[in-house]
Amino acid sequence: MKRPSDIKTFALALALGGFMFACNQEAQHETHETATEVEADVDDATNEATQETNEATGEANAELRDFSAWVNENTSKAETATQAEWKETEAEYKRREASLEAKSSTWDEKTKQEWRELKDGWNRTENKVQARLKNIDDVDVDVDVKKDNN
């Protein structure tokens, strides 16, 4: 009689072990699926953030390139600009510079360095033009005009 009882206990233990193993496998499968979903979400978020960063960097670089082209063009014009033309150019520079300066905190280090170099170049141009215009203002012109009363 002891034998059937032992067989029943063994069968019950085996069945219980099988159920626990199956439940454990199902739990592991669900955990793996959840982990995979979270990983996919993180990858999507990372890709989106990278894309936004690349777009922002591309936009910043494009704006800086446009401004750089404007500065180069107006640097060559500044050598012959009248005082009125220079004041207009200087006002436009300050407007554009303020717009870009507000965005510069988000730029990478390379773009910031290009920005500093561009501003330094413009400052040198500005100093040259102001010295030239000051020299023009300091010139006294004496014009003797004689009228003939015929």
Side-chain angles (χ1 to χ4, degrees):
M1 256 196 122
K2 182 112 170 104
R3 200 78 53 219
S5 174
D6 287 340
I7 293 176
K8 287 181 186 177
T9 304
F10 180 73
L12 183 61
L14 189 60
L16 186 60
F19 289 132
M20 289 181 67
F21 180 76
C23 288
N24 190 24
Q25 290 298 321
E26 187 176 321
Q28 285 179 350
H29 181 69
E30 287 176 4
T31 302
H32 179 71
E33 283 181 358
T34 303
T36 303
E37 289 173 8
V38 168
E39 194 174 293
D41 289 346
V42 169
D43 287 346
D44 289 346
T46 301
N47 290 339
E48 186 176 324
T50 301
Q51 183 178 0
E52 288 175 4
T53 301
N54 289 342
E55 288 173 4
T57 301
E59 185 178 316
N61 288 337
E63 288 178 3
L64 188 58
R65 276 193 309 274
D66 290 346
F67 185 63
S68 180
W70 182 90
V71 166
N72 291 336
E73 179 183 330
N74 284 283
T75 295
S76 62
K77 289 180 181 179
E79 296 173 8
T80 59
T82 65
Q83 193 160 10
E85 291 170 335
W86 176 247
K87 285 185 182 202
E88 285 179 30
T89 302
E90 196 172 29
E92 178 67 12
Y93 173 84
K94 288 180 181 183
R95 184 190 67 74
R96 288 174 172 235
E97 178 195 28
S99 173
L100 286 172
E101 189 69 41
K103 300 173 185 177
S104 68
S105 64
T106 62
W107 295 347
D108 62 18
E109 197 53 44
K110 181 183 175 194
T111 306
K112 286 179 181 179
Q113 180 62 32
E114 291 172 8
W115 173 240
R116 285 188 291 270
E117 290 171 3
L118 186 62
K119 290 193 314 184
D120 289 345
W122 182 259
N123 286 336
R124 287 189 296 275
T125 299
E126 195 172 33
N127 291 337
K128 287 178 189 176
V129 171
Q130 288 175 349
R132 181 180 59 82
L133 291 176
K134 182 181 182 301
N135 289 338
I136 289 174
D137 288 341
D138 289 345
V139 173
D140 268 343
V141 178
D142 290 332
V143 178
D144 292 330
V145 177
K146 292 183 182 179
K147 281 188 172 182
D148 289 335
N149 291 336
N150 293 24

